[in-house]
Every structure is written in structure tokens, then in C-alpha cells.
Amino acid sequence: MSTTTPSSSTELDHLRGWIGRSESRRDLLTLQPVAAMSATLDREDPAPVAGDALPPLWHWLYFLPLAPAREIGEDGHPRRGGFLPPVPLPRRMWAGGRLQFHRPLRLGATVERHSRILDVSTKSGRSGALVFVTVEHSYGDADGVALTEQHDIVYRDAPQPGAPAPAPQAAPTDAQFERVIVPDPVLLFRYSALTFNGHRIHYDRSYVTEVEGYPGLIVHGPLIATLLLDLVRRERPGQSVRSFSFKAVRPIFDIHRFSVCGRDEGDGKLRLWARDHEGALAMQAQAELGGA
């Protein structure tokens, strides 16, 4: 797979030309994706009905990218360009995000999403060149904006043969509550299907191991974030989430179990993290809770 590292000022200026680009989309918050997500997360929720509050982060089940098959790249993602800048690096992943939940979105409502490219930046990491793209989304219905989100996407070089893996960062050991997750291929497939995510690193074992050089299927970053807030829902039932931020630190693969963990920091704030099978930090997050 040939790539061009966006190292020159001309290449970076070209990519930064996407800053300020915007698009708007509309979607109907139908019931079936919510029922399917409940089943995927092994929850025992009642059947959803119109008017129910959409659980936090489950808005990722809507506004899905619907690129035709002819526009899909080798990695299963839509080809570069369009709304997002055409970054010429082969690996593309969620790096993190920051969300403010002003009030619940309701099932059955028609919602508009307004999106804008906030920033495009580059830096050099231990694994080579990195390009970060930050996208801002706002979601609103007839009553105004209900949710605002900043989403960080990272693009990176393919690994160099023989390059050492980054040293892991130890996860906290002071969890007050946690849940063990078994990330089997069925879980990853179902989440890919629910989010219409064709990225082959999540379901195509020969591609992810032979082309991208990973040891197993990669657990989706947004799925790990969703499991962290699902842990909050299980531990703090009836409480709403006001804000949530998360940062991916290290990939998790389907060949081992992992844990989602949390600790109450007081004043409605929770510290959350995902820990891999070796005790390394995979994702760190913070949530602020409101009332019932």
C-alpha cells in the first residue's frame, strides 16, 4: 500500500484547507437500532418505544456513512476526500472525543446533525507521521441543540518492519467497580453492522494481521467508550450523563479479555478506564453525572 507522508508545508496547507468545511444531515431516531444495541451489549432493557431517551453515545447508531461500494477503499473505509480531508496515510482510527449532553435525544424524533472541520494538524510519533483531524458535531431537534461533540480522528503510517512496540502505560489499580468484557468476533461484527462500519480491522482477521500487522481483530474505539458509559448506567441507574470525554491510549484485540473500570471522584464526577489483559491502560475517560 503506497502512501505519502504529509510532511511538507505545501501538503499540510492542502490538508488544512479542509478546516471550516461543513455539512448537515438529518436522520430519524428509529427503534430497531436501540433494540439491537441492547442485545449486542447483553442488556435486559425493555423494548424501546417512541419518546424514550436515547442512551448516551448511542447516537453513533445514526447518521451512518453510506458510501456506495465503488467508493470503498482497500481498508473497507470510504476512499479519502469529500467532507474529511484526503490524508494519505493508511491507518485511520478514533483517537478520542469530548461530548456535552444538554438534554436527551428522544426516539421517534427527527434530528439534524451539523458538522464542521475544526482543525487539521500533524506531528511525528514513535510510529511515524501522525495527522489529527478534529470534527465538531451538534445534534438538534425541534427544541434546539441537545448534544455537542468534538471527535478526534488520527491517521498514521504503517509500521516499519522490526520497529519496537510503544511501551504500555499501566492502568490504575483503584477501581471501585469494573466489568470483564470478552471481545469475541461476534461482538465486533454486530457493532460493525450496527454502525455500518466496513473497516476491515474489526472483522477481517487475515487483513488485520497480514496487511496492517496487528495480532488480532481490533475492538472499536467507540465500542470501548460505549462500554465505559454502559458500565456507568449499570452502576448508577437512573442518573443522566452531562458530559463525557475519552482518549484512546492503546488498542485492544479480540484475542484477550479486557475490563472496563470506574471510580467515583465525588461531585458527580467519575474516572473511567479500560484495562487490557496485561494491566495496561487502553482508554481513559471522565464522565460527569446529573440527576435522574
Side-chain angles (χ1 to χ4, degrees), residues 175-187:
Q176 292 177 327
F177 45 88
E178 64 180 88
R179 181 177 177 227
V180 174
I181 306 296
V182 181
D184 59 73
V186 176
L187 171 64

Side-chain angles (χ1 to χ4, degrees), residues 17-41:
W18 263 253
I19 295 176
R21 291 198 181 197
S22 62
E23 69 172 14
S24 297
R25 300 182 62 185
R26 178 179 295 183
D27 205 348
L28 175 65
L29 303 189
T30 54
L31 306 184
Q32 189 275 338
V34 169
M37 178 62 96
S38 292
T40 298
L41 299 184

Side-chain angles (χ1 to χ4, degrees), residues 34-35 37-39 41-48 55 58 230 233-234:
V34 169
M37 178 62 96
S38 292
L41 299 184
D42 204 20
R43 296 183 56 85
E44 297 182 357
D45 296 325
W58 292 25
D230 183 65
R233 292 181 67 202
R234 294 170 187 264

Side-chain angles (χ1 to χ4, degrees), residues 11-254:
E11 290 166 328
L12 179 57
D13 286 345
H14 173 64
L15 295 176
R16 288 182 63 83
W18 263 253
I19 295 176
R21 291 198 181 197
S22 62
E23 69 172 14
S24 297
R25 300 182 62 185
R26 178 179 295 183
D27 205 348
L28 175 65
L29 303 189
T30 54
L31 306 184
Q32 189 275 338
V34 169
M37 178 62 96
S38 292
T40 298
L41 299 184
D42 204 20
R43 296 183 56 85
E44 297 182 357
D45 296 325
V49 298
D52 284 351
L54 185 69
L57 300 188
W58 292 25
H59 66 286
W60 291 336
L61 302 178
Y62 304 94
F63 304 95
L64 304 180
L66 301 176
R70 63 181 177 276
E71 295 179 8
I72 299 299
E74 179 186 359
D75 64 356
H77 266 314
R79 296 186 189 278
R80 311 300 168 88
F83 174 62
L84 291 173
V87 178
L89 295 174
R91 289 182 166 185
R92 173 175 25 179
M93 293 185 176
W94 286 52
R98 296 154 299 284
L99 302 98
Q100 296 287 331
F101 300 90
H102 308 295
R103 57 180 175 80
L105 292 167
R106 298 286 176 179
L107 295 184
T110 297
V111 175
E112 291 193 4
R113 185 186 74 180
H114 301 289
S115 305
R116 181 168 65 96
I117 306 293
L118 285 187
D119 192 30
V120 179
S121 61
T122 65
K123 73 175 185 179
S124 180
R126 286 173 294 185
S127 59
L130 300 171
V131 175
F132 292 89
V133 177
T134 301
V135 184
E136 181 180 66
H137 303 291
S138 66
Y139 299 80
D141 53 22
D143 295 323
V145 174
L147 166 62
T148 54
E149 172 181 13
Q150 289 187 1
H151 167 204
D152 301 323
I153 308 166
V154 62
Y155 301 78
R156 61 177 68 230
D157 272 330
Q160 298 300 315
Q169 176 183 346
T173 57
D174 58 348
Q176 292 177 327
F177 45 88
E178 64 180 88
R179 181 177 177 227
V180 174
I181 306 296
V182 181
D184 59 73
V186 176
L187 171 64
L188 273 58
F189 169 80
R190 294 176 90 181
Y191 189 78
S192 287
L194 277 170
T195 55
F196 203 61
N197 183 351
H199 200 179
R200 293 168 68 183
I201 63 173
H202 303 303
Y203 62 85
D204 187 336
R205 193 173 303 277
S206 62
Y207 172 83
V208 75
T209 57
E210 298 170 14
V211 177
E212 300 220 7
Y214 291 109
L217 299 175
I218 298 177
V219 181
H220 314 64
L223 174 56
I224 299 172
T226 299
L227 286 166
L228 286 172
L229 277 190
D230 183 65
L231 177 68
V232 173
R233 292 181 67 202
R234 294 170 187 264
E235 294 292 330
R236 301 290 188 270
Q239 290 192 287
S240 62
V241 177
R242 292 181 177 176
S243 66
F244 179 70
S245 62
F246 68 100
K247 179 181 179 182
V249 177
R250 183 178 178 86
I252 288 176
F253 305 100
D254 75 320

